[in-house]
């Protein structure tokens, strides 16, 4: 049963709400404009606040729903963490979009919310404070998630390995943002 839910989480993660919403509402494909990232931040740039919020909620639910289902089915925290990681990997490398996905921030937030809500609240607080001070979404994400995931692993030690892998994946997916941040050319809001 674990393998089935793991694969379903990956497939759910592979759904790109940014792409589907842009098609449904007839707006530009976010992969073709702005940063080229099919996520909430770029949707805000290319399609406006409403579609950005819908994208955020859709991506958040991709990380949250598999965790809630796994918990309801009685899976351990360790298994839930792996299932959440599968959803995030689906968002990063989606089966439906030639393995070209988003940065995974909202989906990871949903995973955190399901696994350990205080970690999700801390991540949100760090993200909001960093964004308020810098107006840079990528810096806010790079500040919030890598700082919060170890807290999750500390409070939920069974999630240590999946949380560390997730941290590495998120930093890897933000490598171009890191280069731009260091060069002083990163996009701001």
């Amino acid at each position: 049963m674990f393998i089935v839910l793991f694969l379903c989480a990956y497939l759910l993660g592979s759904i790109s709400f940014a792409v589907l919403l842009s098609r449904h509402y007839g707006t530009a494909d976010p992969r073709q404009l702005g940063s080229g990232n099919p996520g909430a931040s770029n949707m805000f740039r290319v399609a406006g606040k409403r579609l950005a919020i819908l994208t955020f909620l859709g991506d958040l639910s991709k990380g949250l729903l598999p965790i809630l289902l796994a918990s309801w089915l009685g899976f351990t925290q360790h298994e839930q963490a792996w299932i959440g990681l599968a959803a995030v990997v689906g968002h990063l490398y989606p089966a439906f979009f030639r393995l070209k996905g988003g940065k995974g921030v909202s989906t990871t937030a949903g995973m955190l919310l399901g696994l350990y809500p205080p970690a999700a609240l801390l991540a949100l607080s760090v993200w909001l404070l960093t964004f308020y001070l810098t107006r840079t979404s990528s810096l806010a994400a790079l500040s919030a998630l890598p700082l919060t995931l170890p807290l999750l692993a500390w409070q939920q030690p069974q999630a240590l390995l999946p949380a560390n892998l997730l941290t590495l994946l998120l930093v890897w997916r933000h490598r171009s943002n890191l280069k731009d941040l260091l060069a002083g050319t990163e996009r701001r809001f």
Side-chain angles (χ1 to χ4, degrees), residues 51-75:
L51 291 186
I53 291 169
L54 291 174
T55 299
F56 169 75
L57 292 174
D59 289 349
L60 181 95
S61 68
K62 294 189 307 188
L64 178 61
L65 293 177
I67 298 293
L68 294 178
L69 181 59
S71 176
W72 183 73
L73 291 172
F75 285 98

Side-chain angles (χ1 to χ4, degrees), residues 8-20 38 58-59 62 87 90-91 94-97 107:
C8 287
Y10 169 77
L11 292 174
L12 178 62
S14 292
I15 297 169
S16 176
F17 282 95
V19 173
L20 294 177
D59 289 349
K62 294 189 307 188
H91 181 82
F96 308 127
F97 297 97
T107 306

Side-chain angles (χ1 to χ4, degrees), residues 20-70:
L20 294 177
L21 287 166
S22 66
R23 287 180 185 169
H24 179 75
Y25 288 98
T27 62
D29 187 327
R31 298 170 298 175
Q32 307 302 319
L33 294 173
S35 68
N37 179 46
S41 294
N42 198 39
M43 281 297 279
F44 182 79
R45 287 183 193 103
V46 302
K49 184 172 26 174
R50 181 171 176 247
L51 291 186
I53 291 169
L54 291 174
T55 299
F56 169 75
L57 292 174
D59 289 349
L60 181 95
S61 68
K62 294 189 307 188
L64 178 61
L65 293 177
I67 298 293
L68 294 178
L69 181 59

Side-chain angles (χ1 to χ4, degrees), residues 137-152:
S137 180
S138 61
L139 182 59
L142 286 166
S143 299
L145 294 174
L147 291 176
T148 307
L149 290 174
L151 171 69
L152 166 70

Side-chain angles (χ1 to χ4, degrees), residues 102-114:
K103 304 282 174 104
V105 176
S106 300
T107 306
T108 299
M111 176 189 166
L112 281 175
L113 186 60

